[in-house]
Amino acid sequence: MPRRPQHRQASRSDKLAGAEIHSEVMTRLRRVHQRYTAQRREIIGVLANFSHPLTIQEIREHSIDLAQSSVYRNLLVLEEFNIVTRVVTNGEIGRYELAEDITGHHHHLICSQCGVVRDVVVPPALELDIDQALSALTGREGFTLEHHRLDVFGRCAECT
Amino acid sequence: MPRRPQHRQASRSDKLAGAEIHSEVMTRLRRVHQRYTAQRREIIGVLANFSHPLTIQEIREHSIDLAQSSVYRNLLVLEEFNIVTRVVTNGEIGRYELAEDITGHHHHLICSQCGVVRDVVVPPALELDIDQALSALTGREGFTLEHHRLDVFGRCAECT
DNA sequence: ATGAGTGCAAAGGCTTTGCATTAGG
DNA sequence: CCTAATGCAAAGCCTTTGCACTCAT
């Protein structure tokens, strides 16, 4: 399964990189009796090459021989087992990225004009404050806290 | 334009309520040369009756004689002029709520299982911390900060 | 009066599904 | 081997659009 060369984009604080990601994903899929097929490797490979969530269109554009239905079906499986995450940003088109326990916890900076998404990390102290406050809040509301999502909206330099 | 009685749900710190909302919306629409038609009043009325974002389906279910296309078109207009906000939560179905400058700034507590959405308010101190951190962050990234969205995911009491 | 807004139905666009074929373990 | 996964095309589902009619201003 050929992997076309791709320049890696601005890397976040990668917890895992390159080959490590594949073996990690392989392990996880094995654990749940799922196969790590060529198409799944391809999808993971593409997602690993970018430091921001991709649309299904984009995933297909950056790979070859990926049937549309396979991409949809595989992303569903990969999401089910917490290997990728579906993130919703501006419009309603779904975007996917590797799970945070692979790439590290981060948030999204979204241009409200053109929709471009950039991964960002906020100070650990703030994350702590947020988690504390939300923990109290969910308790009060009878919810079991799972995780939070902090999206930042603004205009990117190009869209002034 | 009949408005079926609806029990108002757990009210947040309402900045405006009932009739006030209609006159406020009326004013805003006038300002941009838009008409406040019966259908638009109906939509606003339904949204005002709930303290959490509604899907288009739900909006239609809680009103009468609203053509599907009119709901879509009106929500587009209302969103354009910052009277309602489209919020995306779990899946990809759009949900709408009154703009924050009408209802007050808040966030969403979303059940990752059943998708129910509850409005929540976090401590002002936390909001301040967040805004400060994000302001610094967006500056660094060449973005102009507009607003943030903090969604909390967890399991509601029913979904344990 | 008169153009924005409405309703109906048809068209779009992304996503899901059915089914025969292929391939991973 | 033997079932999960794939590819293709058809079907679904939410959303948008065209067009004639209606109603706010």
Side-chain angles (χ1 to χ4, degrees):
Chain A
M1 197 87 313
R3 185 118 335 113
R4 82 162 56 141
Q6 255 145 25
H7 55 273
R8 179 167 179 74
Q9 303 205 347
S11 63
R12 201 172 34 245
S13 58
D14 308 52
K15 288 182 63 177
L16 297 174
E20 287 182 348
I21 291 182
H22 286 298
S23 64
E24 171 62 20
V25 172
M26 164 92 83
T27 304
R28 297 196 192 189
L29 287 178
R30 275 270 168 69
R31 203 180 300 146
V32 293
H33 310 295
Q34 286 283 329
R35 299 175 183 169
Y36 198 30
T37 65
Q39 290 86 339
R40 290 177 183 176
R41 289 186 71 89
E42 181 73 16
I43 292 172
I44 295 297
V46 173
L47 291 181
N49 275 331
F50 291 84
S51 65
H52 64 85
L54 300 182
T55 64
I56 280 168
Q57 265 271 309
E58 290 168 340
I59 293 174
R60 294 191 70 206
E61 286 166 2
H62 288 281
S63 59
I64 60 181
D65 286 337
L66 277 185
Q68 184 165 263
S69 57
S70 294
V71 178
Y72 279 100
R73 273 193 279 233
N74 282 326
L75 285 173
L76 232 51
V77 171
L78 293 170
E79 190 187 16
E80 180 180 357
F81 297 110
N82 297 306
I83 292 166
V84 306
T85 306
R86 174 182 199 140
V87 308
V88 186
T89 53
N90 225 0
E92 52 261 77
I93 30 139
R95 284 175 179 274
Y96 291 85
E97 64 182 6
L98 291 178
E100 292 203 323
D101 57 0
I102 294 178
T103 59
H105 179 56
H106 62 277
H107 298 288
H108 295 127
L109 180 50
I110 302 156
C111 178
S112 55
Q113 175 95 94
C114 68
V116 66
V117 180
R118 189 175 304 177
D119 284 11
V120 290
V121 175
V122 306
L126 179 62
E127 290 287 355
L128 255 172
D129 289 347
I130 292 176
D131 283 332
Q132 271 180 3
L134 297 189
S135 170
L137 186 151
T138 47
R140 217 180 302 135
E141 300 279 341
F143 272 61
T144 306
L145 176 61
E146 287 180 337
H147 64 277
H148 68 263
R149 172 176 77 183
L150 175 61
D151 292 326
V152 193
F153 289 88
R155 292 295 182 92
C156 73
E158 286 69 48
C159 295
T160 310
Chain B
M1 197 83 320
R3 185 123 330 116
R4 84 164 54 141
Q6 255 143 25
H7 56 273
R8 180 168 178 73
Q9 303 205 347
S11 65
R12 201 172 33 243
S13 58
D14 307 52
K15 289 182 64 177
L16 296 174
E20 288 183 346
I21 290 182
H22 286 299
S23 64
E24 171 63 20
V25 172
M26 165 91 83
T27 304
R28 295 197 194 189
L29 287 178
R30 276 269 168 67
R31 202 180 302 147
V32 292
H33 311 294
Q34 288 283 328
R35 299 174 183 170
Y36 198 28
T37 64
Q39 290 85 341
R40 290 178 183 176
R41 288 186 73 87
E42 181 72 16
I43 293 173
I44 295 296
V46 173
L47 291 181
N49 274 332
F50 290 85
S51 65
H52 63 86
L54 301 182
T55 64
I56 282 168
Q57 265 272 306
E58 291 167 342
I59 293 174
R60 295 190 68 206
E61 285 165 4
H62 289 280
S63 58
I64 60 182
D65 286 336
L66 276 185
Q68 184 166 264
S69 57
S70 294
V71 178
Y72 278 100
R73 273 192 279 233
N74 282 326
L75 285 172
L76 232 51
V77 171
L78 293 170
E79 190 187 15
E80 179 180 359
F81 297 111
N82 297 306
I83 293 167
V84 305
T85 306
R86 174 183 201 142
V87 308
V88 185
T89 54
N90 226 358
E92 51 262 77
I93 31 142
R95 284 175 177 275
Y96 291 84
E97 64 182 7
L98 292 178
E100 293 204 323
D101 57 0
I102 294 179
T103 60
H105 179 57
H106 63 276
H107 298 288
H108 296 127
L109 181 49
I110 302 156
C111 177
S112 55
Q113 175 96 94
C114 69
V116 67
V117 180
R118 190 176 302 175
D119 285 12
V120 290
V121 175
V122 305
L126 180 61
E127 291 287 357
L128 255 173
D129 289 347
I130 293 176
D131 282 332
Q132 272 179 1
L134 297 189
S135 169
L137 187 151
T138 46
R140 216 179 304 133
E141 300 279 341
F143 272 61
T144 307
L145 176 61
E146 288 180 336
H147 64 277
H148 67 264
R149 172 175 79 182
L150 175 61
D151 292 328
V152 193
F153 290 87
R155 293 293 183 92
C156 73
E158 286 69 47
C159 295
T160 310

